[in-house]
Every structure is written in C-alpha cells, then in structure tokens.
Amino acid sequence: MAGEAELRYLDGDFRVIRPGAFVRCAVTGTPIPLDELKYWSVDRQEPYVSNEAVLTREFPDKFPIKR
C-alpha cells in the first residue's frame, strides 16, 4: 500500500477509511508510517509525529516548532 491513508481517530485506536502507508503530521507535515503512529487528537481528528508536535498544537505560544 503506497500513498497517504485516511483515518478516523478513536480513543486509543484508529480506523482506516482509505488505505495507505502513512498519514501526515498536522503540525509539521512529516509523513508518519501507520505502524509508527502513536499520537493523535480525537477531537481535532489530526495525527502528530511526536509529543512535541502535540504540545505545539495545544500551546503554540509556549511550544513553537523548532526548525
């Protein structure tokens, strides 16, 4: 499966809507292989590449993205 997947993010799990190999971090745009996906927001329906990306999304003034 190549290409970007579409997921429905649930509490502690996700459902594949459109098959693919990865999703993109909502903060950085970094591709995240599905088998490495650990962080997402159920409310926002967004994936994140790391806990730092989660903090950046939740508190953008306190945790800006390091480039």
Side-chain angles (χ1 to χ4, degrees), residues 48-59:
Y48 308 107
V49 71
S50 65
N51 60 339
E52 290 88 359
V54 174
L55 289 173
T56 296
R57 178 59 96 207
E58 292 293 324
F59 309 102

Side-chain angles (χ1 to χ4, degrees), residues 33-55:
L34 295 187
D35 62 343
E36 295 178 21
L37 180 60
K38 298 177 190 171
Y39 307 101
W40 61 81
S41 169
V42 174
D43 294 334
R44 290 189 173 123
Q45 289 296 294
E46 297 178 332
Y48 308 107
V49 71
S50 65
N51 60 339
E52 290 88 359
V54 174
L55 289 173

Side-chain angles (χ1 to χ4, degrees), residues 11-43:
D11 288 326
D13 201 4
F14 55 83
R15 183 179 317 139
V16 177
I17 304 299
R18 185 181 67 228
F22 66 92
V23 292
R24 291 196 184 275
C25 176
V27 174
T28 66
T30 304
I32 310 164
L34 295 187
D35 62 343
E36 295 178 21
L37 180 60
K38 298 177 190 171
Y39 307 101
W40 61 81
S41 169
V42 174
D43 294 334

